[in-house]
Amino acid sequence: MYDIYYIGAQNSEKIDFCQWPYMVTGGDVFDGSYDEIEDDDHIQGFEKKITSKKLNIEIAKTGLITLPQAIDNLESVTEKDIIATTAGKLYVGNSYMKCWIRGTAKDRWIADLDRISNELEVITDYPYWITEEEFRFHKQGSESSEALEWLEFPYDVPYEVSKVRNLQYINNNNYTASGFKMIIYGPCINPLIRIAGHVYELRTTLYDGEYAVIDSSTRYAKDRKIIKVKADGTEENLFNSKNNESSIWEKIPAGLSIVSWNGAFGFDIILFNERGTPRWTLHSQT
């Protein structure tokens, strides 16, 4: 059975389409295509535009949950995101697509009082399936950093690298370079990180309890941002604090890359690995 579910953007409410009262029966979520970019009768590249998908489900009375309750719960979760114009996430296994469930087409609602068929229409303006990978790099001298001494590194990482705590690696399992979100924790001054020889630098000061977020998770420049989150939760725009001599939006290469920094601060990196279709994985049922 495939593990398919929707997480609403408003309250992170979950609709599990592989657990009654909902059960997926079909659809085209595993299908995908690209639109060609054409110039003078030649294909210059490919892109994706606003895309709609179909997800066929059964909704049934289950235990203490009546059929009307199950229908109303599904539609209340999805319509909150429609009203707020904030995309939820449709998951297939570990991959998700940012989207809205904008329509339903119900069948068999006259003849059957305990079960109906429902075709859901899913629409997205970012038609990519995303799998996240998280990596943590600890401040030198912290307890977590001390534990790295016993960490097993891949066979192809040089011995010298594995013994230097502020010289580590990141392994991007995607087949192409990935967007990312980088979270840098204070206190630190002008934090600089090198990944595969590329410099990511902020020319700013982060005090204790503060952190900076470099959000390059999307391929669309208008959605990228750099912010500082202060100890009281307020945010400050750091877009003009980036080192303009080395692109801070540079994607992280596929495969193994060396990560180096001065060890005076800790940081996290979340990779956003994108595909045109979700990974073909099955969820074991017991």
Side-chain angles (χ1 to χ4, degrees):
M1 171 62 71
Y2 300 99
D3 194 10
I4 302 175
Y5 56 95
Y6 180 82
I7 299 292
Q10 304 310 305
N11 301 307
S12 297
E13 296 171 283
K14 180 178 180 180
I15 300 293
D16 192 337
F17 294 119
C18 297
Q19 184 74 39
W20 291 109
Y22 314 105
M23 188 59 62
V24 63
T25 58
D28 61 1
V29 293
F30 284 99
D31 300 340
S33 64
Y34 285 82
D35 298 302
E36 66 275 8
I37 302 172
E38 182 183 343
D39 183 42
D40 194 24
D41 288 330
H42 287 79
I43 293 176
Q44 304 298 323
F46 293 89
E47 64 180 353
K48 279 182 170 288
K49 300 178 181 178
I50 292 176
T51 302
S52 62
K53 296 284 186 183
K54 301 293 185 182
L55 187 67
N56 301 104
I57 65 171
E58 292 282 307
I59 307 177
K61 173 184 176 182
T62 305
L64 298 177
I65 302 175
T66 66
L67 180 62
Q69 287 173 334
I71 296 171
D72 289 346
N73 180 55
L74 169 61
E75 297 188 353
S76 67
V77 171
T78 58
E79 284 198 19
K80 287 176 190 175
D81 294 343
I82 292 287
I83 293 170
T85 324
T86 306
K89 295 178 179 179
L90 178 64
Y91 278 83
V92 175
N94 294 326
S95 303
Y96 65 84
M97 181 176 67
K98 300 174 185 178
C99 63
W100 292 268
I101 297 178
R102 74 167 180 182
T104 68
K106 301 176 181 68
D107 194 14
R108 295 192 3 244
W109 53 272
I110 294 179
D112 196 335
L113 299 180
D114 294 326
R115 179 190 297 245
I116 65 167
S117 299
N118 196 356
E119 183 178 79
L120 304 179
E121 183 182 4
V122 178
I123 190 165
T124 178
D125 57 2
Y126 200 83
Y128 300 94
W129 292 89
I130 300 166
T131 305
E132 297 183 11
E133 286 188 278
E134 184 172 355
F135 300 85
R136 294 187 175 182
F137 301 87
H138 299 282
K139 178 179 179 179
Q140 188 172 354
S142 67
E143 291 183 6
S144 298
S145 176
E146 295 293 335
L148 289 175
E149 183 176 349
W150 306 103
L151 187 65
E152 291 186 5
F153 286 77
Y155 67 91
D156 50 356
V157 174
Y159 175 82
E160 293 79 5
V161 171
S162 67
K163 291 301 181 182
V164 180
R165 290 173 184 155
N166 58 330
L167 191 63
Q168 296 177 31
Y169 76 97
I170 187 168
N171 191 12
N172 182 357
N173 289 313
N174 204 23
Y175 49 75
T176 187
S178 298
F180 64 91
K181 183 180 290 184
M182 187 180 295
I183 306 165
I184 302 172
Y185 300 98
C188 59
I189 299 174
N190 298 337
L192 184 152
I193 299 163
R194 284 185 174 87
I195 302 175
H198 186 83
V199 171
Y200 302 82
E201 182 183 16
L202 291 178
R203 292 171 177 171
T204 189
T205 298
L206 298 176
Y207 296 100
D208 192 25
E210 297 183 337
Y211 61 92
V213 179
I214 303 168
D215 190 347
S216 184
S217 59
T218 172
R219 61 182 62 207
Y220 301 139
K222 65 182 180 65
D223 294 327
R224 297 170 182 164
K225 62 182 180 179
I226 308 172
I227 60 170
K228 176 198 288 188
V229 180
K230 299 181 179 180
D232 62 1
T234 58
E235 297 182 359
E236 177 184 340
N237 189 347
L238 293 183
F239 189 85
N240 293 327
S241 297
K242 66 185 186 301
N243 177 355
N244 290 320
E245 296 175 1
S246 181
S247 174
I248 206 163
W249 314 119
E250 181 79 9
K251 290 187 174 184
I252 295 177
L256 198 69
S257 297
I258 298 298
V259 179
S260 63
W261 79 109
N262 65 9
F265 58 91
F267 60 98
D268 299 336
I269 296 176
I270 304 171
L271 298 182
F272 293 80
N273 298 333
E274 296 181 354
R275 293 165 50 102
T277 55
R279 291 181 181 273
W280 194 267
T281 56
L282 290 173
H283 174 68
S284 60
Q285 298 284 328
T286 57

